[in-house]
Amino acid sequence: MDLNKSRDFFDPNNVNKQCHVIGCGSIGSNVAELLVRYGIKNITLWDMDIVESHNIANQLFTEEHIGKKKTEALAEILYNINPETKNTITLKGECTPTTVLNGYVFMCVDNVEVRKAIVDNNIYNGAIEAIFDFRTTLLQGQCYYADWHKMLDKKSLQTSLNFSHDEAKKNTPVSACGFELSVSPVVRMTAQMGIVNFTNLINTQEVKHLIICEPYSYFFEAM
C-alpha cells in the first residue's frame, strides 16, 4: 500500500501493538477503515452479527454484503484497500467480558452492558495500552479515551458507563418500524474524531479524554 500521502505525518510502524475493533457496525466499520488507510495491519475484528439491509445506510457495507458475517464482509473491504492485510487481520466472534485483550482497544459495540463488562474485567489488565470508547445518538457523537496505565483514567471511564442498556435505549429515537435512528455524517465524524485522538496518542501529541461532536448544529468540544 502506497502511504506517501500520509507517512510523513503518521508512521504505522509506530503502532507496535494489536488494534482490537470490538463491534463492526456503524462506528466499528468506519474505525477499521481509517486504521487500514493509515497502513495499520495488525487488527482484530470482533462481531457475531450478519449484515442486514438496514445496515447499509450508516455502515461501510454494500448490498453485496447482505447475509454475510460482518467481520468477513468488513475484512473483504479492508483487503481491497490494502491487500497486505489478508495475512494480518484476525476475525473473531463475540468479545465476552472474560476475553483477554491487549494493545489498543476500540469499543464500538452498541450495548453499554457489554462495554461496561469489558472495562470492569480488564481493569487490571496491563497488556492494554489504551481504550477508545465510541457512543452515538441520532445527532451527537462522543469519543472517550482512557490511558490503561493510569487508574484515574480507568475509573473515569468506568464512571461514564454508569447507566444501563435500557436507559440508553430510552434516549435513542426509533423509527416507526422500531429501528434505532442513526445517520452516516454523525457516525463518520464520531469515528474520525476517535481516530484523530488515536493519531495524537501515537504521535505523542495532546490527547483528549472526551470529544463531543454534533455535526448538524456545528458544535464541537474536546476536553
Side-chain angles (χ1 to χ4, degrees), residues 18-112:
Q18 193 77 8
C19 290
H20 294 268
V21 179
I22 303 176
C24 295
S26 56
I27 293 292
S29 60
N30 280 279
V31 164
E33 181 206 15
L34 290 168
L35 291 173
V36 168
R37 290 193 186 279
Y38 256 155
I40 295 172
K41 301 175 186 175
N42 294 321
I43 300 173
T44 301
L45 303 176
W46 297 84
D47 205 302
M48 58 185 298
D49 291 338
I50 64 169
V51 180
E52 300 181 64
S53 58
H54 65 267
N55 297 143
I56 308 302
N58 70 342
Q59 300 181 18
L60 209 60
F61 309 110
T62 61
E63 291 287 332
E64 67 180 13
H65 296 123
I66 293 175
K68 293 183 178 180
K69 290 183 179 180
K70 285 188 177 180
T71 52
E72 294 176 359
L74 181 55
E76 287 180 10
I77 295 170
L78 303 180
Y79 298 158
N80 285 328
I81 296 171
N82 185 2
E84 296 175 16
T85 59
K86 285 187 177 181
N87 299 317
T88 59
I89 289 179
T90 304
L91 308 184
K92 297 282 189 178
E94 182 181 11
C95 183
T96 68
T98 57
T99 300
V100 178
L101 299 167
N102 60 354
Y104 302 98
V105 177
F106 299 85
M107 291 203 303
C108 312
V109 65
D110 60 2
N111 187 310
V112 69

Side-chain angles (χ1 to χ4, degrees), residues 201-217:
L201 175 65
I202 300 302
N203 287 347
T204 64
Q205 302 294 318
E206 182 181 5
V207 183
K208 299 298 184 179
H209 286 88
L210 172 60
I211 302 173
I212 301 172
C213 56
E214 297 177 2
Y216 290 97
S217 60

Side-chain angles (χ1 to χ4, degrees), residues 173-184:
V174 296
S175 70
C177 300
F179 291 114
E180 293 184 359
L181 296 178
S182 171
V183 288
S184 188

Side-chain angles (χ1 to χ4, degrees), residues 80-201:
N80 285 328
I81 296 171
N82 185 2
E84 296 175 16
T85 59
K86 285 187 177 181
N87 299 317
T88 59
I89 289 179
T90 304
L91 308 184
K92 297 282 189 178
E94 182 181 11
C95 183
T96 68
T98 57
T99 300
V100 178
L101 299 167
N102 60 354
Y104 302 98
V105 177
F106 299 85
M107 291 203 303
C108 312
V109 65
D110 60 2
N111 187 310
V112 69
E113 306 290 354
V114 173
R115 286 187 279 134
K116 187 186 302 183
I118 290 171
V119 168
D120 290 346
N121 284 277
N122 283 278
I123 200 75
Y124 298 110
N125 181 356
I128 294 177
E129 296 294 323
I131 287 184
F132 298 84
D133 183 30
F134 299 80
R135 310 172 196 178
T136 58
T137 61
L138 176 59
L139 300 177
Q140 185 186 91
Q142 299 177 357
C143 312
Y144 289 79
Y145 158 76
D147 181 337
W148 224 243
H149 300 297
K150 296 180 178 179
M151 184 56 71
L152 184 61
D153 277 18
K154 293 188 281 190
K155 292 296 185 182
S156 179
L157 182 57
Q158 272 187 319
T159 300
S160 76
L161 290 164
N162 192 24
F163 57 96
S164 70
H165 183 61
D166 288 339
E167 288 173 328
K169 290 187 71 173
K170 287 180 182 178
N171 295 319
T172 303
V174 296
S175 70
C177 300
F179 291 114
E180 293 184 359
L181 296 178
S182 171
V183 288
S184 188
V186 173
V187 168
R188 292 196 179 192
M189 188 171 182
T190 305
Q192 289 165 357
M193 291 301 96
I195 294 299
V196 166
N197 226 15
F198 171 70
T199 303
N200 284 341
L201 175 65

